[in-house]
Amino acid sequence: MLEVVRIPVLSDNYVWLLHDDASGETVAVDPAVAEPVLAAATARGWRIGQIWNTHWHGDHVGGNAAIKAATGCIITGPAAEADRIGTLDRTVGEGDHVRIGDHVAIVMAVPAHTAGHIAYHLADDRIAFVGDTLFAMGCGRLFEGTAAQMFANMQRLATMPDDTRVYCAHEYTLSNGRFALTVEPDNDALAARVAAVEAARARGEATVPTSIGEERATNIFMRARDVAELAERRAAKDAA
Ligand code: ZN
Ligand code: FE
């Protein structure tokens, strides 16, 4: 049985602690910072044995060195960005497996936000850590890649089972949802979700994780029919 703990840090980042009861292992996913992540683990009596990074941005790797210094953990990240993440112990790419206890995460290459961005998919556990590739009702900005790459990523993520829980790295849901409504004003599932998200945020609640099923119904980037439509929507969101 895997447990996932959300740690809100910086202005809108989420660091995820993944814990396996059976083995006692704990993984920190994309630790932007160290202190709150170490504190969250300590509060539960957990010791962080691994870090999994999705991409090189500072708000995903900034805590690597200090967590390693405190715990001696092993840091895994994208081979294609090894030159930009000085703290990696192990580099991985498409199709590689990483483990927490007996649970396996398959590495998926999902370039576009950054050139070497990866995701970690624990298929048997219906869990995906997607970094800044897929957000609740949104997708990552195309800093180092193309709309064609992001379209392929969305199509691929959409093939996961609907009940797959999607752990993204930012609380961007409300902004994404409001923009999405301007694109699909007649999408009832989207309108209902945005209303629910507005209420949740007003109560100060997090809206992540999301699920593949929810995204298939309400994510205008996953729902884009072709590359051009995704590109148009991404550009419009960037300018919004
Ligand atoms: Zn990023
Ligand atoms: Fe980020």
Side-chain angles (χ1 to χ4, degrees):
M1 182 63 187
L2 294 177
E3 186 176 344
V4 186
V5 172
R6 178 197 309 104
I7 307 165
V9 301
L10 307 179
S11 59
D12 53 34
N13 276 82
Y14 291 132
V15 179
W16 303 102
L17 272 187
L18 175 66
H19 180 75
D20 173 43
D21 256 357
S23 64
E25 284 191 55
T26 303
V27 177
V29 181
D30 280 354
V33 294
E35 212 37 65
V37 181
L38 289 166
T42 300
R44 291 166 176 79
W46 300 347
R47 192 186 65 80
I48 296 168
Q50 299 183 65
I51 290 171
W52 297 349
N53 292 141
T54 63
H55 66 293
W56 66 267
H57 286 162
D59 64 315
H60 298 256
V61 305
N64 277 11
I67 292 173
K68 181 167 181 143
T71 64
C73 68
I74 300 294
I75 306 178
T76 299
E81 298 183 355
D83 56 335
R84 314 203 62 168
I85 312 173
T87 45
L88 294 184
D89 299 303
R90 181 183 175 209
T91 60
V92 292
E94 173 69 33
D96 284 340
H97 290 187
V98 295
R99 284 167 201 281
I100 170 170
D102 291 334
H103 301 260
V104 175
I106 302 166
V107 174
M108 298 171 62
V110 285
H113 177 70
T114 63
H117 199 303
I118 57 174
Y120 297 87
H121 183 207
L122 295 113
D124 292 343
D125 299 286
R126 300 280 202 267
I127 289 172
F129 294 102
V130 298
D132 287 356
T133 293
L134 173 64
F135 293 120
M137 296 185 277
C139 75
R141 292 174 71 125
L142 307 178
F143 288 124
E144 299 177 2
T146 64
Q149 288 175 317
M150 189 58 89
F151 181 76
N153 295 339
M154 294 296 114
Q155 294 295 303
R156 192 171 172 203
L157 291 165
T159 67
M160 290 178 181
D162 277 354
D163 63 354
T164 305
R165 282 167 293 158
V166 177
Y167 295 87
C168 49
H170 291 273
E171 178 64 59
Y172 291 159
T173 313
L174 185 54
S175 159
N176 286 338
R178 284 175 174 163
F179 175 76
L181 266 183
T182 69
V183 175
E184 287 194 358
D186 298 329
N187 181 335
D188 292 340
L190 175 58
R193 188 177 183 189
V194 171
V197 165
E198 282 180 338
R201 294 304 291 155
R203 295 190 298 265
E205 295 172 9
T207 64
V208 181
T210 177
S211 71
I212 291 296
E214 285 179 282
E215 295 315 305
R216 283 162 47 83
T218 61
N219 187 307
I220 59 163
F221 300 100
M222 188 172 272
R223 293 164 62 79
R225 283 163 297 190
D226 52 33
V227 173
E229 191 165 71
L230 184 144
E232 179 190 351
R233 292 173 175 186
R234 185 63 263 177
K237 177 67 168 74
D238 290 349

